[in-house]
Amino acid sequence: MPPVTPDWSFEREHWRRGYFRVAGVDEAGRGAWAGPVTVAAVILPGSAQEYPFRDSKQLTAAGREALAAEVRRVAVAWAVEHAWPEEIERLNILGATHAAAARALARLDPAPQALLTDYLRLRTPLPLLAPPKADALSYSVAAASLLAKTERDRVMADLDAAHPGYGFAAHKGYGAPGHRAALERLGVSAVHRRGYAPIARLLREDREGRLLP
């Protein structure tokens, strides 16, 4: 079955109500064991033209980078924010995602009049549509997914250099077998999410002073 192509159907629901600056919002990294959760917000021109933007999960890394550059070129406004493990521990992953989304939306200039998210029910006074799989169905949310994914991937590559041996550049902090093996070998780093069950288990089991600063 071919991948779903985004369109303007959800944006048009806002447009019909007179809200023409619609911000698409999406995140990357909510399920990872390490690194930040990253949220992007994008307002595209409300011209109803077609764009090549797609859900970032449908694309290669090179394809995501090329389309993310196009998003930055054509967007009326865009912003990306991170919530780091300390904030995730304090607020939990959903709360931290909401906080990063709020920061990204606050940076948009001009400000959005309405929001579209991928099933993320933000606490906001703005009109909000949050359909499931919006990153595959909406141009605005697909654009946000591209920025969130590519920006987070860059962060994870930097963390790989700062914390060698964990393989962050390859698995992006998710629970891949290589990541599990590195944790068993190296212990828990400063950028791991200590409240997540696999990390918490290792912290409980550690009796040899293996934790990294």
Side-chain angles (χ1 to χ4, degrees):
M1 180 179 296
V4 176
T5 302
D7 60 26
W8 296 105
S9 297
F10 292 114
E11 286 86 349
R12 284 193 178 97
E13 292 189 37
H14 283 314
W15 297 348
R16 282 194 292 268
R17 294 172 173 84
Y19 306 119
F20 295 102
R21 292 196 304 274
V22 178
V25 179
D26 201 23
E27 53 75 27
R30 277 177 70 176
W33 295 355
V37 61
T38 300
V39 182
V42 178
I43 301 175
L44 293 175
S47 58
Q49 71 183 77
E50 292 187 1
Y51 288 107
F53 308 145
R54 299 291 183 270
D55 172 11
S56 63
K57 296 186 290 296
Q58 298 177 3
L59 302 166
T60 65
R64 286 193 293 268
E65 289 290 347
L67 289 182
E70 182 67 4
V71 171
R72 291 189 289 269
R73 187 183 73 81
V74 304
V76 172
W78 64 271
V80 179
E81 286 286 334
H82 307 287
W84 289 87
E86 296 83 357
E87 187 173 17
I88 293 169
E89 293 305 304
R90 189 171 73 252
L91 300 179
N92 74 46
I93 185 60
L94 183 59
T97 303
H98 281 230
R103 291 193 292 269
L105 289 166
R107 288 178 50 208
L108 295 180
D109 185 13
Q113 297 170 316
L115 306 180
L116 264 174
T117 74
D118 181 16
Y119 210 56
L120 183 63
R121 299 189 181 279
L122 297 172
R123 296 179 290 273
T124 174
L126 296 177
L128 169 68
L129 291 174
K133 303 188 184 305
D135 51 359
L137 300 172
S138 157
Y139 278 128
S140 300
V141 182
S145 81
L146 289 163
L147 295 193
K149 173 64 174 167
T150 54
E151 290 293 323
R152 187 177 187 277
D153 283 357
R154 274 192 276 278
V155 167
M156 297 310 295
D158 291 342
L159 292 179
D160 187 75
H163 301 273
Y166 289 96
F168 290 142
H171 54 64
K172 308 302 187 292
Y174 286 90
H179 192 182
R180 292 172 183 266
L183 279 164
E184 295 288 349
R185 185 174 70 253
L186 299 172
V188 176
S189 80
V191 296
H192 279 95
R193 301 177 186 178
R194 296 175 177 236
Y196 276 42
I199 309 304
R201 177 182 60 79
L202 281 173
L203 288 171
R204 286 196 303 271
E205 292 175 353
D206 196 292
R207 296 292 185 269
E208 302 168 6
R210 294 183 301 146
L211 303 191
L212 301 184

